Amino acid sequence: MNYTKINNLLGWLCAIIATLTYVLTAEKTTSWWDTGEFIASAYKMQIVHQPGAPLFLMIQNVFSNLAFGDTARIAYWMNIGSAVCSGLTIMFLFWTITALAKKYFKHINKGADFSQANLIQIMGAGLVGALAYAFTDTFWFSAVESEVYAMSSLCTAIVFWGILKWEERADEPGADRWLIFIAYVMGLSIGVHLLNLLVIPAIALLIYFKRSKQVTTGGAFKALLIGVVVLGLILWGVIQFLIKFAAYFDLFFVNSLGMGFGSGAAFFAILVIGGIAYGIFYSIKKAKPILNIALLSLSFIILGYSSFSMILIRAKADPTLNNSDPDNAFTFLSYLNREQYGDEPLFKGRFFDAQPIDVEDAGNVYRKDGEKYVVAKKKSQYKYDKETLFPRIYSEKHVDYYRDFLNLGPNESPTMTDNLKFFFGYQIGQMYGRYLFWNFVGRQNDQQGHGSFTEGNWISGIKFIDNIRLGGQNDLPESEKTDPSRNTYFFLPLILGILGAVWHFGKDQKDATVVGLLFFFTGLAIVLYLNQTPLQPRERDYAYAGSFYAFSIWVGLGVLAIADFLSKKLNAKNAGIAATVVGLLAGPVLLAKENWNDHDRSEKYLARDMAINYLESCAPNAILFTYGDNDTYPLWYAQEVEGIRTDVRVVNLSLLSSDWYMRQAMEKVNNADALPINIDKDKIKDGVRDVIYYREHDIPGYVDIQDLLTLMLSDNPQNKAQLQNGELVNLLPTKKMQLKIDKSAVLANNVVPSKWQGEIVDTMQWNYSLNYVSRAELSMLSILANNNWKRPIYFTTTTPEENYMGLDRYLVSEGFALRLMPINVGLADGDASALSNVDQTYDNIVNKYKWGNIGHAKYIDPDSYRYISMYVGNIFGETAQILLAQNKKEEAHKVVNSAYDNMPKRAYLMSEVMSYTTLIDAMYKVGETKKANEIVERNLKFLKENMAYYMAIAETQPNLEYRNMRFGLASIQRYQQVLSSTNETKLKEEVNSIFETYRYLFEQAAQE
């Protein structure tokens, strides 16, 4: 067979191997974070969070049809969509590596045919690099879930492969069609994710190398600069300013000419299309090829970008999930600009301890109002007393972390040196270098790392190196050794990549520079642009997948470096074979072996089942308040896709503070009625009552919330306060709130169980917990005032307590949700509610709840196992204890056995070990001694080994395990208490022995 056939066949073979791997390990349903929102939105063509991913949603909708109407399989087939995209990415990576290797051999052979040895080396390089990337940690993670990063990687792979195809054919007639193809793919990729655009500088340099008659350093720099400018023109000119100009044309046509909404934007679109068409005609007529290709490329980028019309069209239809409601030019502009998330300073900004000294007007925010656009509010930009170029330590929310990381005293001001120290140490080291090494050196575990020595570090598996960096490697607990996410590659993939890079720069500096630019712009350039603050809610390695893709090209070319070395001892053919075998073993085989178990998500169901548990905790027609991504997006999936408990109205408090979400809350959704928010929509539109601040007015006693609502919603100047600038604003005059209770309504709607009906209060009174009232709190207060207990009101157990508004003592646990009940059982105002409706919780545990297969799955991730503490401590343990206190031993027996059957047979976290004690105590009390002993033995082993591990680390490293050690010390005492009432002599001796080992730590803690 000739080169082309072999290249094509092996490319497709790589795609098949990768795709089958991802299909076998794909999650069967939704996962955590954004996937629930993406799947639900793709299924019904709805609007996801800013800045949207319309093309991704449309393509995933096609994959959903492969479920053939089985809604429980829709998520799986969308996950398969990502698997297919990822498999195709590997195919294009193979062809990219072989194209680069082929180009080298073509050059040294001076155009002669390839030898068999050349062919073996080229194909070996492609196989090693492509399959190595297929099994890397970051790429594999995205390949098995319905997220945008798999499809985005495919766009990047196609574009970089496409420019190499252009280069190969650049001297042939019509070769520039490849550039048009690349532009179109880039335009399409905007509808998936913007990461693909970062290939542009590398493309610009490659075009310069190909077309320039004489390559110079200055010329290369100019080409690179042009590439950066083109990147900026697309990022800001096409994506943002086209829409911005359209919005202001619309503003003029609507407000000045009295025409309808959208008329100005349509006119501007016609101008753009007409201008580009004329420019293309002019370039042909005047024979200006560069202008022609530039305008054609621009037109195809815009054509690809037009997938965002889906956002406008669907927003007009007002679907259930309609994030930001971008149905006009200005809301669409805000949606694309991600204004909901704010901006990070890039070139100039504040230090974290800077104080504002001035406020500047930064422009208007417009909204639709009647038949015109009106100014909703002014944008503000603060000036600070301490500003710097290249700001990296700017967040006032992370002051303690900055000071700790930089070793700054409480009153010590940061300097530019500190700024750069954080940039190199944290943003590059922690948030990029660590991720690079995860993929090519090894990973300690999959716990999120914030700088400790036991969580989320890179690790090699070479003990003395790891011990120098992290300490304690001679005292690793069994839980670490057997952790599926502990992956050690002994630096081998990294060494392959470094060998490939060195070889590449030595043999073909031009192409190596192009790959290097791809590596830089999809890695370190993103670090510069994101300017991340510490303590991110999750790991961000997915953002750098393009950089790891580029490094994998060098991993493949490492085969050629090894073959070059071996050719001094062997003939070229055998050197190629040997290099390929070495490369396959050190790259793909090792990565697949280490990574398979912790990337096999085929047995994980907890994200979906947790959503079901939240929903099933609610009575019919309930209102359920949620807060974060993981207690919201899976619920959206469960309702929108699988149709589970669509009578429950899920309300995200983070979004409820926005005008568009509050408006939507006043409409019926699926089988859930509109929220009883009796507020005129004009009183809460954008720019009106965005936030109402608290100012104490010394009002005696408690004030009815209806009166407070009337005051806060009043447009009467007499009910407002005047600011220094003369503006009149509404205020909250007291935090002492009350709600009079209609007992007959409470009883009629079965709000309170019969055993507590004598505790129903005449008036609920509480102290409001916040210093402001956003639309979210306005909505909740209005619901309380107008609902009259017709609909049950719940909060998820994971909602932060400050979002309860001070209603804590009226919240009753019914499992995974807390129900609002107007009863008084003696809890003080502000106390965290310890009250449980145990009968309802028991019914939920036995008849309704599902446990996501966490007790039997080969692998569960940290987002799943961090819930175990809540399960064993609150859901199972406390429920069993309350049942025992009520002399319901049979029911308690069922609860503890359910816990034993459904929870994992290993420990993951120190906090989890501590949480088990209430459940273990109940197990002993109901006679399940054998099962209790099994758990105690397992947990004491975990406790003993991990405490020794922490102490071993502290011998050579700063002791950063205070939190885990506190859990450990508290656990020792709790297990002593539990075992003291049993006859388990051996276990008592074991826990007492552990106590004696760490007695001095207890004494130190007591002295502190």
Side-chain angles (χ1 to χ4, degrees):
M1 290 189 291
N2 61 27
Y3 171 89
T4 302
K5 286 183 179 179
I6 294 173
N7 191 44
N8 289 343
L9 283 173
L10 289 180
W12 280 103
L13 177 64
C14 286
I16 291 169
I17 291 171
T19 304
L20 284 176
T21 297
Y22 304 144
V23 169
L24 289 172
T25 57
E27 200 145 352
K28 294 294 194 295
T29 182
T30 187
S31 187
W32 300 109
W33 300 104
D34 298 346
T35 58
E37 180 194 23
F38 279 126
I39 294 167
S41 297
Y43 178 53
K44 292 187 176 179
M45 286 289 93
Q46 302 183 99
I47 313 301
V48 297
H49 64 274
Q50 301 175 0
L55 182 64
F56 169 80
L57 298 179
M58 288 186 277
I59 292 174
Q60 288 295 75
N61 181 268
V62 173
F63 276 96
S64 74
N65 293 315
L66 297 175
F68 295 104
D70 183 355
T71 55
R73 299 280 289 171
I74 284 170
Y76 172 71
W77 280 106
M78 290 194 190
N79 293 340
I80 296 301
S82 288
V84 171
C85 289
S86 299
L88 293 175
T89 301
I90 299 306
M91 178 180 72
F92 283 107
L93 175 56
F94 174 88
W95 288 338
T96 294
I97 296 170
T98 57
L100 290 168
K102 172 188 172 185
K103 183 181 175 184
Y104 164 72
F105 283 112
K106 189 175 181 181
H107 173 71
I108 64 172
N109 292 339
K110 297 181 180 179
D113 290 340
F114 299 116
S115 67
Q116 189 179 39
N118 295 156
L119 191 62
I120 290 170
Q121 291 182 40
I122 292 170
M123 298 305 158
L127 286 171
V128 170
L131 291 177
Y133 186 63
F135 298 119
T136 53
D137 179 75
T138 296
F139 186 71
W140 197 342
F141 184 90
S142 296
V144 294
E145 66 177 15
S146 184
E147 252 276 24
V148 296
Y149 301 104
M151 198 175 293
S152 175
S153 293
L154 175 58
C155 293
T156 300
I158 292 173
V159 164
F160 199 71
W161 167 81
I163 195 61
L164 294 176
K165 297 295 284 184
W166 169 84
E167 183 193 32
E168 186 180 14
R169 295 164 170 76
D171 298 327
E172 299 174 6
D176 285 351
R177 286 177 293 183
W178 282 98
L179 298 178
I180 306 301
F181 168 75
I182 290 169
Y184 184 50
V185 173
M186 283 186 170
L188 290 172
S189 75
I190 298 170
V192 180
H193 200 281
L194 298 180
L195 289 174
N196 172 262
L197 300 178
L198 298 172
V199 183
I200 291 173
I203 288 176
L205 194 62
L206 193 145
I207 292 173
Y208 167 74
F209 287 150
K210 183 65 180 178
R211 284 284 164 86
S212 177
K213 295 179 180 178
Q214 184 177 0
V215 175
T216 64
T217 302
F221 182 77
K222 288 179 183 177
L224 175 59
L225 189 60
I226 290 171
V228 173
V229 170
V230 171
L231 172 61
L233 285 174
I234 296 174
L235 276 175
W236 288 286
V238 173
I239 296 176
Q240 293 186 19
F241 277 92
L242 272 183
I243 307 303
K244 190 169 186 176
F245 281 128
Y248 280 93
F249 264 78
D250 213 45
L251 178 67
F252 174 74
F253 272 64
V254 173
N255 285 16
S256 299
L257 303 182
M259 300 181 71
F261 290 109
S263 56
F267 180 77
F268 177 73
I270 293 170
L271 282 181
V272 171
I273 294 169
I276 293 175
Y278 173 76
I280 293 171
F281 172 77
Y282 175 82
S283 68
I284 296 170
K285 184 177 180 181
K286 298 295 183 179
K288 295 183 179 293
I290 295 178
L291 177 63
N292 180 261
I293 197 71
L295 289 174
L296 283 172
S297 297
L298 176 62
S299 63
F300 273 88
I301 287 172
I302 294 174
L303 178 61
Y305 182 37
S306 67
S307 66
F308 271 88
S309 59
M310 171 265 193
I311 300 291
L312 282 167
I313 292 168
R314 293 300 296 154
K316 290 283 188 183
D318 198 21
T320 303
L321 304 182
N322 187 9
N323 198 302
S324 302
D325 192 16
D327 67 345
N328 65 78
F330 281 100
T331 53
F332 186 51
L333 177 64
S334 172
Y335 182 81
L336 289 173
N337 289 346
R338 300 178 82 251
E339 291 181 7
Q340 174 180 329
Y341 301 107
D343 295 322
E344 313 295 357
L346 294 180
F347 304 110
K348 185 180 179 183
R350 58 173 292 183
F351 281 113
F352 62 79
D353 63 343
Q355 299 298 318
I357 55 175
D358 195 13
V359 181
E360 295 180 349
D361 184 1
N364 297 328
V365 176
Y366 291 94
R367 69 166 185 263
K368 279 173 60 176
D369 206 333
E371 299 299 319
K372 290 192 174 184
Y373 290 111
V374 301
V375 177
K377 56 193 172 187
K378 296 280 187 179
K379 294 180 184 177
S380 297
Q381 184 172 326
Y382 288 92
K383 303 292 286 184
Y384 294 91
D385 59 355
K386 289 182 61 182
E387 294 187 338
T388 181
L389 297 176
F390 193 63
R392 300 285 117 179
I393 46 176
Y394 57 89
S395 172
E396 70 275 15
K397 297 178 181 178
H398 300 93
V399 173
D400 291 340
Y401 190 95
Y402 289 138
R403 291 194 180 280
D404 184 59
F405 188 89
L406 300 169
N407 295 316
L408 294 175
N411 299 312
E412 191 175 353
S413 293
T415 64
M416 175 55 86
T417 301
D418 296 315
N419 195 49
L420 293 176
K421 182 180 176 182
F422 184 79
F423 170 63
F424 287 107
Y426 182 83
Q427 292 186 331
I428 291 181
Q430 176 78 357
M431 299 302 287
Y432 175 72
R434 181 170 61 103
Y435 296 148
L436 177 70
F437 276 34
W438 273 6
N439 285 276
F440 300 104
V441 176
R443 185 173 182 177
Q444 183 183 33
N445 52 48
D446 55 8
Q447 295 178 43
Q448 186 172 0
H450 290 302
S452 78
F453 294 99
T454 63
E455 297 168 327
N457 297 287
W458 69 265
I459 201 165
S460 67
I462 303 173
K463 185 173 287 188
F464 82 91
I465 295 176
D466 297 332
N467 211 41
I468 292 170
R469 290 187 57 253
L470 303 174
Q473 298 304 300
N474 295 317
D475 297 271
L476 282 178
E478 192 66 22
S479 58
E480 279 291 306
K481 294 176 183 177
T482 60
D483 189 337
S485 63
R486 182 180 176 86
N487 302 320
T488 53
Y489 318 137
F490 312 104
F491 286 97
L492 294 177
L494 181 74
I495 292 170
L496 264 181
I498 292 172
L499 289 175
V502 171
W503 179 91
H504 205 197
F505 276 101
K507 300 292 186 179
D508 191 342
Q509 196 173 50
K510 293 178 183 177
D511 281 355
T513 303
V514 171
V515 176
L517 277 176
L518 178 65
F519 178 69
F520 172 80
F521 274 95
T522 54
L524 292 178
I526 296 177
V527 174
L528 293 167
Y529 179 76
L530 291 179
N531 196 6
Q532 286 177 336
T533 56
L535 302 177
Q536 292 287 310
R538 56 173 167 156
E539 298 285 15
R540 301 297 190 185
D541 56 303
Y542 54 80
Y544 308 106
S547 185
F548 310 149
Y549 179 96
F551 190 80
S552 294
I553 294 175
W554 285 329
V555 170
L557 295 181
V559 170
L560 304 187
I562 295 172
D564 259 8
F565 174 78
L566 293 177
S567 63
K568 298 172 184 176
K569 307 260 183 194
L570 305 171
N571 64 49
K573 179 180 176 182
N574 288 336
I577 293 172
T580 300
V581 171
V582 169
L584 287 171
L585 291 175
V589 173
L590 177 61
L591 290 166
K593 170 189 168 294
E594 289 291 308
N595 290 349
W596 188 288
N597 53 2
D598 58 306
H599 288 80
D600 184 359
R601 294 156 66 172
S602 61
E603 297 180 352
K604 282 173 66 252
Y605 296 90
L606 192 63
R608 182 202 64 186
D609 285 0
M610 272 296 291
I612 293 173
N613 292 346
Y614 284 131
L615 294 169
E616 291 293 359
S617 296
C618 300
N621 201 31
I623 299 168
L624 175 62
F625 291 115
T626 68
Y627 185 78
D629 291 359
N630 283 340
D631 65 353
T632 302
Y633 293 158
L635 277 70
W636 287 355
Y637 160 80
Q639 290 188 319
E640 295 295 307
V641 179
E642 296 198 26
I644 297 169
R645 290 301 306 273
T646 55
D647 61 301
V648 176
R649 186 60 182 262
V650 175
V651 184
N652 182 276
L653 293 173
S654 304
L655 298 176
L656 192 57
S657 59
S658 58
D659 63 305
W660 56 269
Y661 192 80
M662 187 174 176
R663 287 198 312 270
Q664 292 170 9
M666 301 183 199
E667 305 292 336
K668 182 175 180 177
V669 167
N670 298 322
N671 293 321
D673 293 330
L675 296 183
I677 302 174
N678 188 22
I679 297 176
D680 186 345
K681 293 179 181 179
D682 284 339
K683 291 181 179 290
I684 49 88
K685 55 193 175 185
D686 192 22
V688 179
R689 296 180 180 86
D690 291 334
V691 62
I692 298 169
Y693 290 102
Y694 161 70
R695 182 186 292 175
E696 180 60 53
H697 279 61
D698 297 321
I699 301 174
Y702 288 84
V703 180
D704 195 88
I705 58 173
Q706 186 61 66
D707 295 332
L708 291 174
L709 282 168
T710 300
L711 186 67
M712 289 188 288
L713 294 170
S714 174
D715 291 323
N716 188 337
Q718 294 182 352
N719 293 328
K720 297 185 178 184
Q722 189 172 35
L723 302 180
Q724 290 181 349
N725 62 5
E727 181 184 358
L728 294 173
V729 295
N730 295 98
L731 293 172
L732 173 66
T734 181
K735 289 189 175 184
K736 293 185 177 295
M737 299 182 177
Q738 70 177 24
L739 174 67
K740 294 178 181 177
I741 304 303
D742 181 350
K743 289 188 178 181
S744 61
V746 172
L747 294 172
N749 292 295
N750 298 314
V751 177
V752 176
S754 57
K755 62 183 177 182
W756 288 327
Q757 288 180 359
E759 309 295 335
I760 298 174
V761 296
D762 295 319
T763 303
M764 288 171 58
Q765 294 181 333
W766 68 96
N767 290 328
Y768 185 73
S769 58
L770 303 172
N771 291 319
Y772 61 87
V773 178
S774 72
R775 292 186 185 88
E777 290 75 40
L778 269 180
S779 299
M780 288 194 284
L781 290 172
S782 184
I783 290 169
L784 289 176
N786 296 299
N787 185 47
N788 197 26
W789 308 102
K790 292 178 182 176
R791 298 173 67 178
I793 297 174
Y794 291 85
F795 292 84
T796 59
T797 53
T798 47
T799 298
E801 289 182 12
E802 60 264 27
N803 294 97
Y804 298 159
M805 296 195 307
L807 292 165
D808 310 46
R809 64 192 176 107
Y810 297 109
L811 296 176
V812 178
S813 173
E814 293 190 348
F816 287 102
L818 306 172
R819 184 170 183 173
L820 187 67
M821 293 187 188
I823 56 176
N824 183 4
V825 293
L827 290 175
D829 191 28
D831 282 357
S833 176
L835 195 60
S836 173
N837 181 5
V838 71
D839 294 332
Q840 184 61 57
T841 304
Y842 171 77
D843 180 62
N844 291 338
I845 290 172
V846 174
N847 299 313
K848 297 180 180 179
Y849 287 161
K850 300 182 178 181
W851 307 104
N853 198 37
I854 60 172
H856 308 286
K858 292 190 290 285
Y859 168 74
I860 58 174
D861 59 284
D863 288 315
S864 297
Y865 65 63
R866 67 169 53 107
Y867 283 103
I868 295 174
S869 294
M870 179 173 68
Y871 297 162
V872 298
N874 299 346
I875 305 300
F876 290 119
E878 290 183 8
T879 302
Q881 292 287 358
I882 296 171
L883 288 169
L884 286 170
Q886 295 178 358
N887 202 28
K888 297 180 179 179
K889 189 171 182 179
E890 183 179 344
E891 288 85 349
H893 204 155
K894 287 184 179 179
V895 169
V896 300
N897 279 334
S898 177
Y900 180 83
D901 293 339
N902 290 296
M903 293 298 102
K905 300 300 184 285
R906 63 166 293 167
Y908 290 90
L909 300 171
M910 194 66 84
S911 57
E912 171 196 326
V913 168
M914 185 177 73
S915 299
Y916 257 104
T917 52
T918 53
L919 175 64
I920 292 167
D921 183 58
M923 282 182 160
Y924 282 124
K925 289 175 179 176
V926 300
E928 289 290 356
T929 302
K930 184 178 179 181
K931 293 177 181 178
N933 287 346
E934 177 190 326
I935 297 173
V936 171
E937 289 173 5
R938 179 184 78 208
N939 288 353
L940 289 182
K941 182 175 186 291
F942 180 92
L943 180 66
K944 182 178 180 179
E945 291 182 352
N946 277 271
M947 288 293 285
Y949 177 43
Y950 302 147
M951 298 305 295
I953 292 172
E955 292 176 6
T956 59
Q957 305 291 349
N959 189 352
L960 302 178
E961 296 301 325
Y962 296 119
R963 182 173 179 272
N964 278 325
M965 293 185 75
R966 287 193 195 99
F967 278 129
L969 295 175
S971 297
I972 293 169
Q973 293 179 314
R974 289 195 183 187
Y975 279 89
Q976 283 182 313
Q977 292 169 1
V978 170
L979 291 169
S980 66
S981 60
T982 72
N983 297 319
E984 305 305 316
T985 306
K986 184 179 178 181
L987 292 176
K988 287 180 187 179
E989 291 174 355
E990 176 69 13
V991 73
N992 289 335
S993 172
I994 299 172
F995 177 81
E996 290 301 323
T997 302
Y998 298 105
R999 177 188 287 274
Y1000 71 99
L1001 293 177
F1002 286 99
E1003 293 171 352
Q1004 288 178 7
Q1007 291 174 1
E1008 292 175 0

